[in-house]
Amino acid sequence: MQTVKLNNGLEMPILGYGVYLVEPKECERCVTDALEVGYRMIDTAQAYYNEEGVGAAWTKSGIKREDLFLVLKIWVTNAGEKKAYDSILKSLDKMQTDYLDLMLIHQCYNDYYGTWRAMERAYKEGKLKAIGLSNFMPDRYVDIANWVEINPMVMQLETHVFFQQKYEREWLDKYGAQIMSWGPLAQGANKIFNNETLVELGKKYNKTAAQIALRFLTQENIIVIPKSTHKDRMAENFNIFDFEISKDDMEKIRALDTGKSAIVDFRAPEMSEFFVNYTKEHGEV
Ligand SMILES: NC(=O)c1ccc[n+]([C@@H]2O[C@H](COP(=O)([O-])OP(=O)(O)OC[C@H]3O[C@@H](n4cnc5c(N)ncnc54)[C@H](OP(=O)(O)O)[C@@H]3O)[C@@H](O)[C@H]2O)c1
């Protein structure tokens, strides 16, 4: 598997498997399938309520812990130095491991500076091999990168052919964080699987539109974590390294960028209320 080197020297796979909206009871089966297909990086979050499923799948797989790359995100209701630190210990327990390869702050809400200090502590203790952020827009990212002791290593953002994050990537490059895409298939938005450009290029390279979309991102040095509950699609999304999109064709895909989200605007103030209500509805994590 192709890897990218983070700013602390850690090698991270460029392709992984995400489990957002994978039901807790379905998660173990999905992660088992993904590991069988060949994925070695799994992305989950406290707020997905399926950490135990990831833990059960990897421990039963027989794959050595050092051959896996486990990613987790701390939820907004666990923000703050003490609460976040305690939640890291709880998550390690749920995922049956004594360290995580990457921990991210899920959202730029609540006391995220306190959360960052908790992650710095766990990082120094060896419980986290890398730490980073998710959904921090450039202004918030540059702010935190300037005021913390340990520079964030990764930024996970909505990134796909229709929202290529060109502006934010300039700031990430300047301060040294690696971009990681969530929603690399745009969660199916804008009829991505039938997009004319992607379908045409698919015919040329003998690949599907999904494979072209994912290969494009990895050629842009963007980490991707496509999600599917179907094993055949997991395999389809995994088989993207046996061809290369030409320079001219990369330009054609770059032209699909709309510069805006196809899914959600995390800057809307209503999101803060939504997150609190989400946890009330689903329970503490
Ligand atoms: N940091 C954040 O705030 C954040 C937000 C969202 C997601 N994420 C992470 O990013 C991961 C991926 O993003 P995502 O799940 O939102 O969206 P995504 O991977 O862009 O798209 C998933 C959707 O595409 C379908 N799909 C997958 N492969 C396909 C294929 N080859 N052909 C046709 N349909 C296909 C899936 O359906 P089926 O399952 O039915 O196949 C599912 O509906 C998540 O699982 C999660 O780990 C993070």
Side-chain angles (χ1 to χ4, degrees):
M1 170 62 63
Q2 198 182 313
T3 59
V4 290
K5 193 182 268 208
L6 305 183
N7 68 24
N8 66 343
L10 189 72
E11 297 281 348
M12 176 168 178
I14 200 161
L15 170 70
Y17 174 69
V19 290
Y20 175 52
L21 294 184
V22 176
E23 291 292 321
K25 54 182 184 315
E26 179 83 330
C27 185
E28 181 179 340
R29 192 273 301 163
C30 284
V31 176
T32 301
D33 284 352
L35 294 173
E36 281 172 12
V37 163
Y39 291 89
R40 290 295 177 268
M41 189 228 296
I42 308 295
D43 177 275
T44 186
Q46 292 174 340
Y48 299 170
Y49 298 91
N50 58 20
E51 294 160 90
E52 289 91 343
V54 176
W58 89 257
T59 48
K60 288 180 194 170
S61 73
I63 298 168
K64 287 191 205 134
R65 177 65 187 87
E66 60 267 33
D67 293 332
L68 289 169
F69 197 104
L70 299 178
V71 184
L72 185 74
K73 302 169 217 96
I74 299 192
W75 188 233
V76 285
T77 49
N78 284 331
E81 205 159 343
K82 171 145 181 24
K83 217 171 170 193
Y85 186 80
D86 290 348
S87 84
I88 293 170
L89 300 184
K90 203 165 139 190
S91 288
L92 289 173
D93 203 38
K94 287 182 186 173
M95 292 176 75
Q96 302 189 48
T97 179
D98 50 12
Y99 71 92
L100 291 166
D101 298 276
L102 174 64
M103 179 78 111
L104 307 172
I105 299 181
H106 202 148
Q107 297 287 351
C108 182
Y109 290 99
N110 204 349
D111 177 13
Y112 54 83
Y113 271 88
T115 304
W116 188 260
R117 286 191 291 277
M119 297 204 318
E120 286 179 332
R121 177 180 163 196
Y123 176 75
K124 288 177 190 169
E125 292 168 347
K127 293 183 175 75
L128 307 175
K129 301 292 177 200
I131 53 180
L133 308 165
S134 174
N135 300 312
F136 279 55
M137 302 308 146
D139 58 331
R140 294 299 84 213
Y141 165 62
V142 172
D143 179 62
I144 196 166
N146 270 301
W147 295 108
V148 291
E149 188 188 333
I150 301 176
N151 193 6
M153 289 138 206
V154 172
M155 174 71 76
Q156 188 177 114
L157 293 172
E158 178 191 342
T159 311
H160 43 73
V161 294
F162 306 122
F163 191 20
Q164 298 179 19
Q165 297 286 5
K166 291 173 184 161
Y167 177 67
E168 176 127 0
R169 277 153 70 191
E170 287 174 21
W171 287 102
L172 297 177
D173 286 347
K174 182 169 177 191
Y175 283 84
Q178 166 66 43
I179 186 166
M180 176 176 188
S181 147
W182 68 255
L185 298 170
Q187 296 183 351
N190 297 0
K191 298 189 176 148
I192 186 170
F193 304 114
N194 298 315
N195 177 273
E196 210 179 309
T197 306
L198 300 178
V199 170
E200 275 309 307
L201 290 174
K203 283 184 194 148
K204 175 174 170 182
Y205 292 97
N206 203 17
K207 290 284 170 183
T208 63
Q211 289 171 318
I212 298 290
L214 295 171
R215 184 67 182 128
F216 167 77
L217 295 173
T218 60
Q219 280 187 217
E220 292 281 80
N221 205 37
I222 297 170
I223 294 168
V224 293
I225 43 168
K227 169 257 169 185
S228 177
T229 53
H230 301 93
K231 198 172 182 181
D232 56 341
R233 287 181 179 169
M234 293 178 199
E236 178 184 331
N237 299 340
F238 190 76
N239 291 320
I240 59 167
F241 296 109
D242 57 354
F243 75 111
E244 173 126 359
I245 303 172
S246 73
K247 265 189 183 168
D248 286 353
D249 291 338
M250 288 293 284
E251 278 308 320
K252 286 182 196 156
I253 306 174
R254 285 193 191 104
L256 298 179
D257 188 21
T258 65
K260 59 180 195 315
S261 168
I263 300 170
V264 62
D265 175 10
F266 283 130
R267 299 204 92 160
E270 290 80 6
M271 289 313 292
S272 189
E273 293 178 339
F274 171 80
F275 289 139
V276 175
N277 292 332
Y278 174 91
T279 316
K280 275 187 194 152
E281 241 172 66
H282 293 80
E284 286 294 318
V285 288

